[in-house]
Amino acid sequence: MSLHPVTDHAFSPLLIGEIRSDRPLIVAAVEEEAARLDDRFPLLVTGMGKVNAAAALALTLSRGERPGEIVNLGTAGALKEGLSGVHEISRVVQHDFDTALLHRISGRVHGAPLTVGAGRGPTLATGDTFVTDSAVRDRLALQADLVDMEGYAVATVAQHLNIPVRLVKFVSDSADEDARTTWPEALDHAAGILAGWVAEHLHAPRTPRRLPRRTRTSAVFTVNPLSAPHAA
């Protein structure tokens, strides 16, 4: 039996505004995380997960001018007690990629930790899992402070293209059993806090610019129906 891919339109990258070398490009997984931003900076919405983030960013940057900087704004789960608010990441790892094992069997280093930003701040663990389990959270806390689903992918693309990158994360949940409800409820508040961080930390030249335009790329990402999420 042949399987036909199921198109998920949420995976279609969305670029709002115009990428320019004198401005940062803001990258977010979902529009809700960037809902409170003004139009000073271009915004790329990639979709959730490492593959979507990497593919959307690489495809977008291959088509025209590159930004002076990439800023990945988003939410993250806290792996340790006492973490709240906004954090600029200093180091990012992949928690679902066994770099040590691959090195032992291949002799090569793949997926090594990345240093980002100014080198200060917490460590972020990125993986294609929305963490909602206390046992998983405690295991990940041995290597990182926060967890998300896109940061490592964005940093990888930026570093390959020699573009400065910053990962800025708002703590939206505790990466435990309550995260299924805590994260959606925190999105609007997170968007306001992240917009405030942008207003304080990012500055654009005072030059005229065209109004933002919303552009979806021609690429369509698909998922196999056997792995597609089922409707509730």
Side-chain angles (χ1 to χ4, degrees):
M1 179 181 68
S2 61
L3 298 176
H4 300 284
V6 175
T7 299
D8 187 337
H9 293 287
F11 290 4
S12 182
L14 172 65
L15 176 63
I16 303 172
E18 179 183 9
I19 296 176
R20 290 170 44 170
S21 61
D22 63 350
R23 301 173 193 273
L25 170 65
I26 296 177
V27 177
V30 295
E31 288 187 77
E32 290 84 352
E33 292 173 325
R36 301 293 188 89
L37 297 177
D38 58 28
D39 63 358
R40 290 185 303 150
F41 306 109
L43 166 68
L44 175 66
V45 180
T46 66
M48 298 177 75
K50 291 190 296 182
V51 171
N52 289 326
L57 183 56
L59 178 65
T60 299
L61 296 179
S62 72
R63 293 182 168 183
E65 191 166 12
R66 294 180 180 176
E69 175 183 34
I70 293 170
V71 179
N72 176 214
L73 289 184
T75 53
L79 299 174
K80 298 176 181 178
E81 298 295 330
L83 287 173
S84 62
V86 178
H87 299 270
E88 187 168 348
I89 303 304
S90 65
R91 182 173 178 269
V92 59
V93 302
Q94 294 184 86
H95 69 75
D96 57 355
F97 191 94
D98 198 332
T99 297
L101 175 61
L102 290 176
H103 181 257
R104 288 197 298 271
I105 64 179
S106 72
R108 299 182 179 91
V109 176
H110 301 275
L114 302 176
T115 299
V116 294
R120 299 183 299 272
T123 295
L124 176 70
T126 296
D128 283 318
T129 302
F130 189 89
V131 179
T132 59
D133 185 284
S134 297
V136 175
R137 178 199 62 199
D138 293 344
R139 174 174 58 81
L140 296 181
L142 299 176
Q143 59 177 316
D145 305 294
L146 300 172
V147 61
D148 85 334
M149 298 178 66
E150 297 83 26
Y152 189 96
V154 172
T156 297
V157 173
Q159 293 195 359
H160 274 300
L161 297 177
N162 199 30
I163 300 173
V165 61
R166 300 161 82 176
L167 310 180
V168 179
K169 301 294 174 176
F170 174 79
V171 177
S172 57
D173 58 85
S174 298
D176 56 13
E177 288 75 8
D178 293 331
R180 292 181 178 89
T181 56
T182 307
W183 180 75
E185 292 172 351
L187 275 177
D188 184 63
H189 178 61
I193 297 296
L194 291 169
W197 184 94
V198 169
E200 181 179 352
H201 292 87
L202 301 184
H203 305 285
R206 295 182 178 276
T207 55
R209 59 164 300 181
R210 287 177 285 179
L211 291 174
R213 64 176 185 270
R214 300 168 69 90
T215 305
R216 291 200 179 271
T217 72
S218 59
V220 176
F221 303 155
T222 59
V223 293
N224 188 293
L226 291 182
S227 60
H230 297 286

